[in-house]
C-alpha cells in the first residue's frame, strides 16, 4: 500500500458508496427508490468515513483534488506530491463509478429517466444559472477545506508529562464525515454538492463511456471542477492570513 494506491482505493470506495446511494434512491425498482435527500446525504457522509478509514493511515485520505490543492496552497502538503494524489483520486473515482454501474446494471436498463441515470454518476444544478451554480460549489468546498485545516487530534494533559497526544483509531475519520454531512444537508440543494472535482469528473467520464443512455452534460462539467478548486484556494489563503 502506497499513498497513490491508498488514494485510488479510498476514492473508489467513496464513489462506490456515495454514488451507490444515489442509484439506490433514483433508479427504478430498487429497494431504496424515492427514499429521499436525507438518505443520500447521510450515506455520502458515511461513504467519506469509509474512504478515510481505509486511506487515512497511508495517504492522509485526501480523496479530493480540492483538499490536495488546498493543503498544498497552505503549505501543509508538498507540491511535488500533488500530481500523484490527483492521479490516484481520478483513477479511483472512475473505478468507483464503474462499480456502481456494474452493481445496478439491471436497474439502469429499466430506468427511463436519463437525468436520473446521470445523477448516479455526476452532479447537476437544480436551477441552471452559471454564476449561482459556481458560487454554490465554491462556498461548499470553502467550508469543507477550511474546516479540514482546523481538525485536530484529541489531547490530554497530566501534571507529570504535560500535553500528550492520544489516538482515536478509525473514529478519527468521523469529523470530516460530519462536515460533509452538514454541507449536503445545508448547502447541497442547489447543485448536488460535488465539492470534489474527481468525484464529478471521473464518474462523468465513465457515464460517457459506459452503455448508459443519455447526455453527459459536458457544458456544465467545468463548474464542479473549477469552483471547488477555487474555493479550496480561497480557504487556504484565509487560513494563512489568520495564522
Amino acid at each position: 500500500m502506497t499513498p497513490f494506491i491508498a488514494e485510488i482505493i479510498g476514492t473508489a470506495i467513496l464513489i462506490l458508496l456515495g454514488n451507490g446511494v444515489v442509484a439506490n434512491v433514483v433508479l427504478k425498482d430498487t429497494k431504496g427508490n424515492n427514499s429521499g435527500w436525507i438518505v443520500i446525504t447521510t450515506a455520502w457522509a458515511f461513504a467519506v468515513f469509509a474512504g478515510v478509514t481505509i486511506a487515512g493511515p497511508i495517504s492522509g485520505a485526501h480523496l479530493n483534488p480540492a483538499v490536495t490543492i488546498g493543503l498544498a496552497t497552505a503549505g501543509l502538503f508538498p507540491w511535488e506530491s500533488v500530481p500523484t494524489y490527483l492521479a490516484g483520486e481520478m483513477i479511483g473515482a472512475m473505478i468507483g463509478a464503474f462499480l456502481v454501474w456494474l452493481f445496478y446494471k439491471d436497474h439502469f436498463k429499466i430506468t427511463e429517466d436519463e437525468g436520473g441515470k446521470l445523477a448516479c454518476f455526476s452532479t447537476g444544478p437544480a436551477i441552471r444559472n452559471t454564476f449561482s451554480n459556481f458560487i454554490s460549489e465554491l462556498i461548499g468546498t470553502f467550508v469543507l477545506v477550511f474546516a479540514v485545516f482546523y481538525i485536530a487530534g484529541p489531547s490530554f494533559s497530566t501534571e507529570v508529562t504535560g500535553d500528550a497526544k492520544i489516538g482515536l483509531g478509525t473514529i478519527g475519520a468521523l469529523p470530516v464525515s460530519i462536515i460533509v454531512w452538514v454541507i449536503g444537508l445545508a448547502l447541497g440543494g442547489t447543485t448536488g454538492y460535488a465539492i470534489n472535482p474527481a468525484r464529478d469528473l471521473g464518474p462523468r467520464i465513465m457515464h460517457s463511456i459506459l452503455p448508459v443512455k443519455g447526455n453527459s452534460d459536458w457544458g456544465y462539467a467545468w463548474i464542479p471542477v473549477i469552483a471547488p478548486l477555487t474555493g479550496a484556494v480561497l480557504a487556504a489563503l484565509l487560513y494563512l492570513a489568520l495564522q
Side-chain angles (χ1 to χ4, degrees):
M1 183 77 98
T2 65
F4 176 64
I5 294 174
E7 286 295 303
I8 291 175
I9 296 175
T11 309
I13 294 295
L14 167 68
I15 299 303
L16 170 63
L17 299 178
N19 281 355
V21 71
V22 178
N24 190 27
V25 171
V26 170
L27 297 181
K28 186 176 180 180
D29 289 349
T30 65
K31 298 290 187 179
N33 184 251
N34 290 324
S35 50
W37 189 245
I38 298 296
V39 171
I40 290 175
T41 55
T42 303
W44 261 110
F46 291 131
V48 171
F49 181 86
V52 172
T53 295
I54 293 166
I58 308 300
S59 68
H62 295 186
L63 314 184
N64 182 343
V67 171
T68 300
I69 296 296
L71 291 173
T73 302
L76 302 176
F77 185 73
W79 279 104
E80 57 266 27
S81 298
V82 167
T84 298
Y85 272 60
L86 297 186
E89 290 152 6
M90 278 296 297
I91 293 169
M94 293 174 74
I95 292 172
F98 172 78
L99 292 175
V100 171
W101 171 79
L102 184 65
F103 195 97
Y104 284 98
K105 187 177 179 181
D106 291 341
H107 295 275
F108 275 109
K109 286 182 179 179
I110 64 173
T111 300
E112 297 176 354
D113 180 6
E114 294 182 359
K117 289 189 284 189
L118 177 60
C120 301
F121 290 86
S122 57
T123 63
I127 298 175
R128 191 172 293 263
N129 180 313
T130 298
F131 178 77
S132 296
N133 301 154
F134 188 93
I135 292 300
S136 293
E137 287 293 335
L138 185 155
I139 292 174
T141 311
F142 178 94
V143 172
L144 170 64
V145 175
F146 194 67
V148 164
F149 289 137
Y150 289 95
I151 292 176
S155 63
F156 67 93
S157 178
T158 67
E159 293 181 0
V160 177
T161 63
D163 291 335
K165 294 293 184 183
I166 59 175
L168 283 179
T170 55
I171 300 301
L174 190 58
V176 70
S177 306
I178 295 174
I179 294 165
V180 170
W181 194 4
V182 73
I183 289 172
L185 289 172
L187 305 176
T190 55
T191 61
Y193 73 116
I195 60 174
N196 181 339
R199 169 264 177 275
D200 194 274
L201 181 58
R204 196 183 297 269
I205 291 172
M206 295 307 296
H207 177 271
S208 68
I209 293 173
L210 292 169
V212 181
K213 185 179 180 181
N215 182 1
S216 298
D217 196 8
W218 286 107
Y220 177 79
W222 67 275
I223 291 178
V225 173
I226 303 301
L229 293 177
T230 305
V233 170
L234 292 176
L237 293 176
L238 179 59
Y239 173 77
L240 289 173
L242 294 173
Q243 296 308 296

